[in-house]
Amino acid sequence: MNEHPSARPPASGTDSAATGMMSGFGNEHATEALPGALPVGRNSPQRPAYGLYAEQISGTAFTAPRAQNRRTWFYRIVPSVVSQGEWRRIDLPLWLTAPSDDGSFPHTQCRWSPQPEPHAPVDFLDGMASYVWNGDMGAGSGLAVHLYCANAPMDRRYFKNADAEMVLLPAAGSVRLRTECGILDLTPGDLAVIPRGIKIAVDLPDGPSRGYLCENYGAPFELPDLGPIGANGLANPRDFLYPQAAYEDIAGEFELVLKTGGAFHACMLGHSPLDVVAWHGNHAPCRYDLRTFNVFGSISFDHPDPSIFTVLTSRSDTPGVANADLVAFAPRWLVGQDTFRPPWYHVNTMSEFMGLLYGAYDARPKGFLPGGASLHNCMIPHGPAPEIFEAASTHDLSPQRVDDGISFMLESRHPYRVTDHAMTGAGLQRDYPGTWQGLKRQFTG
Ligand SMILES: [Fe+2]
């Protein structure tokens, strides 16, 4: 399994002409794979071109304010309502949905090693294991984070999640995400946002892949307000890339897996459900290269709160208190003077789940591995490893480049519960809380 990302030219995300993709987070995009397939001047003409069916997918209530309103019009070969045969319940026993009787609140810091590679062929769905969750899917709040490790493509198996918006972050191996809206290719360092209800299939062009899947039950992720930063910075809207329409017009036997209410159901289709020939709208999957994140930080002293690294936010009903913030620790310079430059020791009301996409995380260079995870829940103290404290307290304060890797955090107002699988599995690093105990008493008063 490739543990390092394949190099992508810097800021490729901005070059939509070169990539053939459409640029701009939340924009009203329009694309057609056949000339004239996209109706002009109306959404639902009496007879769409090429004999296509018009179908709207709404990602928000019809009446949501315009700035939050999300919907896309599909022009497809067969409408989604057509299925073949009976739906049957299927079991993905390690994939849990909030709320669940499974899991408990940890009373200490948690860290996990990456999932082992499976011996038998396992696809993206079967290779999914839930690690943490919070909130309540039915109430539209909270999130769950799963770790996947897959070595087989989904091929003719497709997935639709009615429960949540999803964010996919590969940490090893590349991923080809086929969607109703087109194709997104991801390598470690990229993320994909997949809106609720968009059908996908996950293929593995370079072999096995492991990584993270976030299910966001709450408000869709959006770019954070920038406040005094101004009009530019952090994740710039133009670096979010949307695919051009690409449809599959193939007949045969296909399986569609639906997740709804935390249960999985499958039915057979006689056609590929990725048969959208043209679409327009803003409820569509996109890719973002975290290496294009415009990092802001202190140029005088002190490490800012990590909210300065927010890429996307899912708002809650309380202003300023996120259902989930997706935060990235991307390559950057540290220049603070008379400053302890790593994150300080802290005890937060927000709960922090972290993953590492490649390389190393500067505050925890040992034991926190790509594809692994850590959890520091509400009011659980944490901070740099003792050896990092020693080094950062004494090294010279010339400008320092941090570009060893990219990690991310899913910070939530809701404390996470850890699943029984994660709490009892071999991946739990039971010695993790002990790693701070080497911090020496150095009081001189
Ligand atoms: Fe923290």
Side-chain angles (χ1 to χ4, degrees), residues 306 329 343-348 350-352 354 361 376 380-383 409 411:
F329 302 90
W344 10 255
Y345 295 99
H346 53 289
V347 183
N348 292 353
M350 299 288 274
S351 295
E352 303 174 350
M354 280 193 70
Y361 172 54
H376 306 119
I380 301 292
H382 57 286
M409 181 162 70
E411 183 175 290

Side-chain angles (χ1 to χ4, degrees), residues 404-415:
D404 295 336
I406 295 183
S407 54
F408 73 94
M409 181 162 70
L410 282 159
E411 183 175 290
S412 177
R413 67 175 303 179
H414 307 290

